[in-house]
Amino acid sequence: MLAALAGPSWAGAPRGGSSACYVTGGGALEICRSDDEAEGVYAVPPPCRFVHDVQIMRLKDAGAPGPLQVIYRAEPPRGSGRRGEDSCPTDLRATDPAAGGAVRIGRQIEALATVLPPTDPRFWSEGLKGSGPTRAEQPRRRSRASRQARREARRAAREARQGDRQAEKMTFRAQAPTPEDDPSGNAMMVAGRDWAGDPYYAILATATEPSEEGRRRVLVQARTYDFQSLDLRVEADPGTEWRPFGAPPAEERGRRRGRARPAAAKPAPVLDDTGKPIVGNCAAPDFEARGLTGSISVVDRVYHYFYTDVVPADCEAPRTKRRMALYLRTSRDPLAERTWSAPVTLIESLPAETEIRVAKARGMDRWAVAYTCSRPVTASGGPVADICLHYTADLSPGSITALALYAEPVAAGHSTAYLGLRSGGDALGRFTRDGFGWMTDRYGNLDAPTIYPDKGGFLTWLDRRAPRIDGSDTSSLYGRPVFWATWTVRPRAAQP
């Protein structure tokens, strides 16, 4: 269980004034957040846990497993069983890019929609590392000397890479509290074709796989109908097959005990309609792999997968100079093979590290586009990190392309469309708004808790600078709190 809130105050500086609004939706709408706009603390993990990229989903039925399910990325499980994973023996830091992460899922009741519920890991890095040996592919026992030799080799390789990129690392340290990151990417959950009798929910998750140039993002696929058991699409001969996560191949079942573990099935990458795997545009060392992070929204029975990735021409540029682009792929069935279209570029030349979520707006035939940004220098509090939000004029992809997300120069990441989030931050008024997600219906379209019937939506985000529950500063990821906020969108008053 995650700890209850205690200790320091979590409220940062307000945007200023009793209410602040800006125009969006092609001039037809305005988004407003007053000083009393609803915000709060969603989760305060212990020092050995983290919460990242939360999606809350409203199911069709209010009974179990509904009414709400929460899915997010977290640390890989330690030990076996609830006792092993609930223990918190030490402070942890995310410094090993091979460690990966787990997808955790749990049931959430409506009355506590603003509190992270108990969750369990459903699948994790051991099954998502892509090519290269996993633990299950290695002999059950290894000598202490061989383990030490492997550790020394990995440490030497890391030190060599760090020496080659020392100047870039210094730039990164100026932007983040510690040189660590979450290597697990994100997970996106959406209902299957339930209008055709499909009982499954689809989970698309980004993982990383080794390559000659470092690591590369890859999209993998899972499904569940009860949010307890989960199948992973894995490589088979021929093609692919659905297999319960953690289950050995059929030919390995029933073998007597005492033999080496069977080879772990390699998760199959999601394929597009030409048979090409959906992978990130660029390979990069350590934690620097980016791409494929986004959201899925179903409109008119078409699945829209919006995601950001590095512009291919910038693959060799320093991390802080790699421009991003927003892409769209579509599908008629997210659980079928070779079903996603080729990517369509919607917006190019976005700032480095940009993350974007797109979903059909609540109660409107428009897209809602949320994205990472900074407030302008002239805004109250200066250019601190925030989350920006725009609505489109309609549901065409071109209406997204028409949006001006950032002010010039775009590389600075400043925008006047910021929400003015107040929660989080450290004693110096510095914030991060990492790994943000939102609440959706089962089709990935915007929703909100019933206690906020008039709100445009419900956001969650991780703040790497907000104080940890124990007051320490060991990790910028583990133990850092996650916050939530709402916003109000309304028709713009008629102009005289």
Side-chain angles (χ1 to χ4, degrees):
M1 293 290 291
L2 299 184
L5 175 64
S9 171
W10 302 94
R15 181 171 181 171
S18 60
S19 181
C21 303
Y22 61 89
V23 176
T24 187
L29 303 173
E30 60 182 7
I31 293 175
C32 300
R33 296 192 83 251
S34 61
D35 289 350
D36 59 355
E37 185 76 38
E39 288 190 19
V41 180
Y42 185 70
V44 185
C48 55
R49 297 269 299 275
F50 70 82
V51 177
H52 190 274
D53 188 55
V54 178
Q55 178 188 358
I56 304 170
M57 174 178 284
R58 186 184 303 282
L59 305 189
K60 180 179 180 181
D61 300 316
L68 307 176
Q69 284 283 332
V70 59
I71 180 172
Y72 64 93
R73 298 302 296 251
E75 75 290 339
R78 301 178 307 280
S80 59
R82 296 290 302 188
R83 178 177 298 179
E85 77 161 46
D86 283 347
S87 64
C88 189
T90 183
D91 276 357
L92 298 177
R93 298 176 67 247
T95 57
D96 181 3
V103 175
R104 297 183 71 100
I105 301 176
R107 185 186 181 194
Q108 191 160 38
I109 61 175
E110 188 74 54
L112 295 176
T114 60
V115 177
L116 182 67
T119 59
D120 289 298
R122 295 300 176 208
F123 61 109
W124 49 89
S125 59
E126 190 170 77
L128 294 178
K129 287 183 181 177
S131 59
T134 66
R135 292 175 185 170
E137 291 174 318
Q138 299 169 358
R140 182 169 298 181
R141 297 179 183 272
R142 290 187 184 269
S143 70
R144 179 177 300 177
S146 65
R147 291 196 299 270
Q148 180 65 26
R150 290 197 306 276
R151 284 195 295 267
E152 291 294 334
R154 288 196 297 267
R155 184 181 301 113
R158 286 197 301 269
E159 291 174 353
R161 289 194 298 269
Q162 289 169 356
D164 292 340
R165 302 189 311 277
Q166 185 63 30
E168 183 178 345
K169 287 294 183 182
M170 293 302 293
T171 301
F172 177 54
R173 287 191 183 100
Q175 293 185 340
T178 55
E180 58 175 330
D181 204 350
D182 168 27
S184 59
N186 81 310
M188 301 157 282
M189 184 163 59
V190 67
R193 300 174 68 250
D194 56 6
W195 58 84
D198 184 351
Y200 287 100
Y201 282 78
I203 300 172
L204 277 75
T206 59
T208 58
E209 61 178 5
S211 69
E212 292 182 358
E213 300 82 8
R215 306 178 69 83
R216 187 185 298 271
R217 283 283 175 88
V218 59
L219 194 67
V220 298
Q221 190 177 40
R223 68 180 186 183
T224 184
Y225 64 89
D226 59 1
F227 300 94
Q228 298 297 316
S229 59
L230 183 143
D231 299 329
L232 191 65
R233 188 184 286 279
V234 300
E235 293 183 351
D237 189 14
T240 66
E241 67 180 16
W242 290 107
R243 187 179 300 169
F245 177 69
E251 63 270 16
E252 296 288 350
R253 297 169 192 159
R255 287 192 174 189
R256 68 179 184 270
R257 297 181 179 179
R259 296 189 178 185
R261 294 182 185 178
K266 179 182 177 182
V270 177
L271 305 178
D272 65 18
D273 53 13
T274 67
K276 295 180 180 179
I278 299 178
V279 298
N281 289 335
C282 306
D286 297 338
F287 291 113
E288 296 180 17
R290 290 293 183 268
L292 307 184
T293 295
S295 55
I296 300 175
S297 185
V298 185
V299 177
D300 295 331
R301 298 184 177 180
V302 175
Y303 293 79
H304 298 76
Y305 170 33
F306 299 93
Y307 64 94
T308 53
D309 203 349
V310 178
V311 174
D314 288 0
C315 286
E316 300 303 321
R319 174 177 177 172
T320 57
K321 302 294 185 181
R322 294 174 195 152
R323 296 168 299 167
M324 306 289 286
L326 176 65
Y327 297 93
L328 168 64
R329 293 178 185 262
T330 59
S331 170
R332 292 283 181 178
D333 184 357
L335 293 170
E337 282 192 290
R338 303 189 178 191
T339 183
W340 290 98
S341 68
V344 174
T345 304
L346 298 181
I347 305 177
E348 293 184 293
S349 300
L350 296 167
E353 309 287 342
T354 298
E355 291 190 8
I356 297 179
R357 303 285 187 274
V358 182
K360 183 179 180 295
R362 190 182 189 195
M364 292 183 280
D365 288 333
R366 304 173 185 267
W367 296 115
V369 182
Y371 55 101
T372 51
C373 69
S374 293
R375 302 174 195 172
V377 177
T378 56
S380 174
V384 300
D386 211 316
I387 296 175
C388 290
L389 178 67
H390 266 304
Y391 283 68
T392 62
D394 52 44
L395 283 172
S396 67
S399 67
I400 298 177
T401 304
L403 294 174
L405 301 187
Y406 296 99
E408 294 290 344
V410 171
H414 296 168
S415 174
T416 58
Y418 63 95
L419 290 176
L421 302 174
R422 307 183 305 273
S423 298
D426 62 10
L428 299 178
R430 298 174 299 181
F431 302 82
T432 73
R433 316 291 187 183
D434 295 340
F436 74 93
W438 50 22
M439 184 172 175
T440 73
D441 63 15
R442 68 186 189 278
Y443 297 129
N445 302 320
L446 285 188
D447 205 339
T450 55
I451 57 174
Y452 299 114
D454 300 324
K455 297 300 181 181
F458 181 91
L459 275 170
T460 62
W461 71 91
L462 165 71
D463 192 323
R464 292 173 179 264
R465 294 190 181 274
R468 305 195 329 165
I469 193 100
D470 62 352
S472 71
D473 200 38
T474 303
S475 170
S476 69
L477 178 65
Y478 283 86
R480 298 290 173 169
V482 173
F483 300 91
W484 64 267
T486 62
W487 71 89
T488 301
V489 60
R490 62 196 183 194
R492 191 182 179 196
Q495 300 299 308

